[in-house]
Amino acid sequence: MARIVMKFGGTSMAGIERIRRVAQIVRQQADAGHEVAVVVSAMAGDTDRLVNFCREASTLSDPAEYDVVVASGEQVTAGLLSIALQSLGARARSWLGWQMPIRTIEAHSKARIDDIDGSALVAAMQSGEIAIIPGFQGISEAGRITTLGRGGSDTSAVAIAAAVKADRCDIYTDVDGVYTTDPRIVTKAKKLKTVTFEEMLELASVGAKVLQTRSVGLAMKEGVRIQVLSSFTDDGAPSADELPGTMIISEDEMEKSDMERQLITGIAHDKNESKITLTRVPDKPGAVANIFGPLADAAINVDMIIQNVGREKGETDVTFTVPTSDLDRTMQVLEAAKESIGYNRLISDSNVAKISVVGVGMKSHAGIASTMFKALADRGVNIQAITTSEIKVSVLIEEDYTELALRVLHTAYGLDAEDAA
Amino acid sequence: MARIVMKFGGTSMAGIERIRRVAQIVRQQADAGHEVAVVVSAMAGDTDRLVNFCREASTLSDPAEYDVVVASGEQVTAGLLSIALQSLGARARSWLGWQMPIRTIEAHSKARIDDIDGSALVAAMQSGEIAIIPGFQGISEAGRITTLGRGGSDTSAVAIAAAVKADRCDIYTDVDGVYTTDPRIVTKAKKLKTVTFEEMLELASVGAKVLQTRSVGLAMKEGVRIQVLSSFTDDGAPSADELPGTMIISEDEMEKSDMERQLITGIAHDKNESKITLTRVPDKPGAVANIFGPLADAAINVDMIIQNVGREKGETDVTFTVPTSDLDRTMQVLEAAKESIGYNRLISDSNVAKISVVGVGMKSHAGIASTMFKALADRGVNIQAITTSEIKVSVLIEEDYTELALRVLHTAYGLDAEDAA
């Protein structure tokens, strides 16, 4: 018998038929003897409908009132799931953010969870009642409804799992787990049985959109084991021994459980970056600060940074990447700062993609990067920039080569599934 | 300067364009220097959508969870109206039922308001902030959301007006006031400047669907002056001296303000009653109890009751009316009780209408009933039953004569507008 927090996203809650299906999945867990709490998102599309109402009412909505409007979507699905569970003969009740309560900081529409009083929830679960909690919301110290920002329901689920000391947090999505790479591109992609928090953070930050980065960070901090699995498959109730999805766990647990695992866990890609190069920047102390200071002031998130040796002595070329959505603003900031930086030319290129190889195994092994460079060079893929972290190597390539690079690297690191085509 | 509670129904809140229009009406009042609280319904159709979700999820929804789902409709409009008011430069914030709080009894989906703490609201209003309150809902002692039943927003508005000691409660509807009779039938119908609580209760109970009966009863008990007016006209901000709608006030206030008023205030009709006759019932003590006991047990609401002398000595005919929606059930109950009642025949007729003449003036004047009987007889309208109360005379006639009877009586009591066709 375990204590489990289950979380269902908007696609799983879209309409009464799907809510009934979710009720069946939840009831299987309760029938298996587990103590169950469920965190729900709003019906897919409903949050957009409510957000649009706010936008139509005013271009600058008061975030506190925006929260009052938008939080209603999860309130509806929490009530409906309770009703659907009761109609299956289960005991269930909804616990709204202000009822538990889930205390957050004051920052409306982008609040962070401060503290959850899980005692009422634990008492209910221990009595055999299923607790249904609307995700994405809480209550401020002033007693007003707050929301956590888009995708905040994953974070709600992890925070509640931590508060009730759950054995695991099952996040039901429209994919059935975390894959070695995007299975829509690489047919030989394999579902991972386990992945560490650190790997998941790196994979999420480079484009694998399975979980909110924020929720993974919180799970790592609080030591909450997450399972990612699908609400649209018929795998039945996962037992404690055999879990159908991907478990996201700590590195310690990983080392104990999975000695034979690959050096590389997964390969992610991100086409939403753009490359900027400033040529002939003076090679002297403070020059780089002159570039990135104004960008930081403009809240532009700079990712890869490479400083090349320039052709002339005392000069250098500086290349870096920014999200493509920030490209125009970045160019404006740099053009305005041309005098103080003292560059020659400002060149931008949005036709690039970042390919990242991720794995906790690489920390203790050499050769990961050189395998990457050789495999890409063999197929004529030119590397424009490189960055590394303890568990990740990222390269910037021309965007058109993205799919080729993913397939080549998936094979080179021995990740291909044996039974796939 | 006055303290005003304004209430807007679902039609007035249906969509952002209309909510903007409501915001303008509210702001006019605030700009005129009044302290303003606003009670809102859900967008027209939204409550039905939410109720249907609950019905689809389970034929027997848990009323507590039903309330969680259905109360969200007013939460959305309260937030949106606050946003719309802020975009007009006004200060406004929403106060949800659990925030004020509005305490109700536990009876989910049909709760009654127990107690409202209006202190936070009064403080906000005095500081110049407009308070927006979702109607129809409150919080139970157990800390869960309750709703007051359909149409409960009128009751919320009156209860809040009482709690904050408002000078009046303005109920905005899709009609611009209370008329002497249905203006769709009688073109010469006049809008009333004033009507008493008692008259309004009688008019509402016999078919004039302007206000919830419940809210009028509460207003009478708490001494809250109600104004009924339309949110779709351009009368501008009503001043304290000249009010565009109909004021519903106490008899005392009426006597002071309106010495010249008519004996008869209005004429209502109700086509939703059916007539039942039991012939040759034994004329002995307890016989009538044998009829109405079983109907009371079945929670069937009996209205007019007439006992005629039967043709044979020791026997009597009993006639009464019930809502047509209860007719089938009434017939079943009476057929099952034929033995114990001991009647001869059971006759039903749904082709009847009740016409009611209402006015506090009739208490001190004779001749009201005879005017009615003569006017109807002159036009060949047969009266099947009569009941009277202190301020009302009702007759039951054949349904086909409804419109004719309304026009004849409207003229007979001198209610016709002079400027109408």
Side-chain angles (χ1 to χ4, degrees), chain A residues 391-411:
Chain A
I391 64 166
K392 181 183 75 172
V393 179
S394 296
V395 294
L396 203 67
I397 63 172
E398 192 184 328
E399 187 174 326
D400 293 341
Y401 288 93
T402 306
E403 291 79 9
L404 173 66
L406 282 180
R407 292 190 196 106
V408 164
L409 293 173
H410 202 262
T411 305

Side-chain angles (χ1 to χ4, degrees), chain A residues 15-17 19-20 43 46 49-50 52-62 64-69 71-73 75-80 82-84 86-87 92-96 98-99 139 142-145, chain B residues 15-17 19-20 43 46 49-50 52-62 64-69 71-73 75-80 82-84 86-87 92-96 98-99 139 142-145:
Chain A
I16 300 295
E17 270 319 301
I19 290 176
R20 271 192 220 277
M43 294 189 190
D46 207 30
R49 182 179 68 93
L50 295 165
N52 283 338
F53 277 151
C54 293
R55 288 210 186 115
E56 282 173 51
S58 171
T59 42
L60 279 173
S61 299
D62 173 4
E65 299 298 344
Y66 169 97
D67 284 353
V68 168
V69 174
S72 68
Q75 180 174 325
V76 168
T77 48
L80 291 175
S82 302
I83 291 171
Q86 291 175 2
S87 81
R93 80 153 268 196
S94 62
W95 293 86
L96 304 183
W98 54 270
Q99 286 171 332
I139 182 172
R144 302 201 62 187
I145 292 178
Chain B
I16 300 296
E17 270 320 301
I19 289 175
R20 271 191 219 280
M43 294 188 192
D46 207 29
R49 182 179 69 91
L50 296 165
N52 284 336
F53 277 151
C54 293
R55 288 209 186 116
E56 282 174 51
S58 171
T59 43
L60 279 173
S61 299
D62 173 4
E65 299 299 344
Y66 169 96
D67 284 353
V68 168
V69 174
S72 69
Q75 181 172 325
V76 168
T77 47
L80 291 175
S82 302
I83 291 171
Q86 290 174 4
S87 81
R93 80 153 268 198
S94 62
W95 294 86
L96 305 182
W98 53 270
Q99 287 172 332
I139 182 173
R144 303 200 63 187
I145 292 177

